[in-house]
Amino acid sequence: MAIERTISIIKPDAVSKNVIGKIYDRFESNGLKIVAAKMKHLTREEAEAFYAVHKDRPFFNDLVDFMVSGPVVVMVLEAKNREIMGATNPENAAEGTIRKDFANNTSENAVHGSDSLENAKIEIDFFFNPEEVYVRTIG
Ligand code: ADP
Ligand code: MG
């Protein structure tokens, strides 16, 4: 079976709270492996392109403003992360999820995660060259 890969982004709110390591730990503690990672300050053009699927939504401009407000940490993870992230609105996020514990509100919600395998591949290609994504051969 092919290994499932997905993207996670630690958003500017969580980076500014200095909880990068705590969020890495949530993934690792739940058995996910980080196979690529980098810090990046998105340009407006990059944020608009990344969230193009939401371009007609009323929150699009605020979302882009927020995502360029500071650096983010982009990761490729092996295996699923949506359950670990929690619901978009942290008030609806399950106990023990990243958004329940670290999000401010529906907009500043600590992390992004790919919503399907198909979009995961597109999002991985958006941020990483193939040689930047590693095979974890030991362990
Ligand atoms: P998710 O990140 O859970 O997949 P969406 O894809 O629906 O959620 O939305 C992308 C991002 O846009 C959210 O993570 C959040 O930062 C922002 N967002 C979504 N819905 C709203 C809203 N109603 N008001 C403000 N921001 C929102
Ligand atoms: Mg989404």
Side-chain angles (χ1 to χ4, degrees):
M1 195 177 77
I3 295 168
E4 195 168 312
R5 287 183 171 161
T6 189
I7 278 275
S8 174
I9 303 176
I10 303 177
K11 295 184 179 183
D13 58 322
V15 171
S16 73
K17 283 181 192 165
N18 216 21
V19 293
I20 296 168
K22 287 188 173 145
I23 293 176
Y24 278 174
D25 182 56
R26 294 297 177 98
F27 293 127
E28 294 187 337
S29 298
N30 283 283
L32 280 78
K33 287 183 180 166
I34 299 167
V35 293
K38 64 180 158 196
M39 185 173 269
K40 190 171 167 60
H41 197 142
L42 299 178
T43 64
R44 180 159 291 274
E45 291 67 31
E46 286 171 328
E48 287 174 351
F50 184 75
Y51 278 118
V53 64
H54 295 308
K55 67 178 186 312
D56 297 325
R57 307 284 286 277
F59 56 79
F60 180 71
N61 283 334
D62 288 343
L63 175 59
V64 170
D65 285 345
F66 165 54
M67 290 299 288
V68 304
S69 66
V72 299
V73 176
V74 192
M75 281 163 276
V76 179
L77 301 171
E78 282 184 354
K80 293 191 175 69
N81 78 344
R82 290 294 302 194
E83 293 80 3
I84 299 165
M85 282 166 58
T88 309
N89 180 345
E91 289 179 17
N92 302 329
E95 289 297 330
T97 59
I98 292 170
R99 284 172 167 171
K100 180 77 180 179
D101 292 338
F102 299 114
N104 293 335
N105 51 50
T106 302
S107 174
E108 298 171 12
N109 58 5
V111 279
H112 166 86
S114 311
D115 60 12
S116 65
L117 268 182
E118 190 190 7
N119 283 337
K121 187 170 180 345
I122 293 167
E123 292 180 358
I124 291 168
D125 291 344
F126 186 90
F127 283 114
F128 294 97
N129 296 319
E131 66 272 16
E132 293 177 307
V133 182
Y134 289 86
V135 176
R136 298 272 300 264
T137 47
I138 301 169

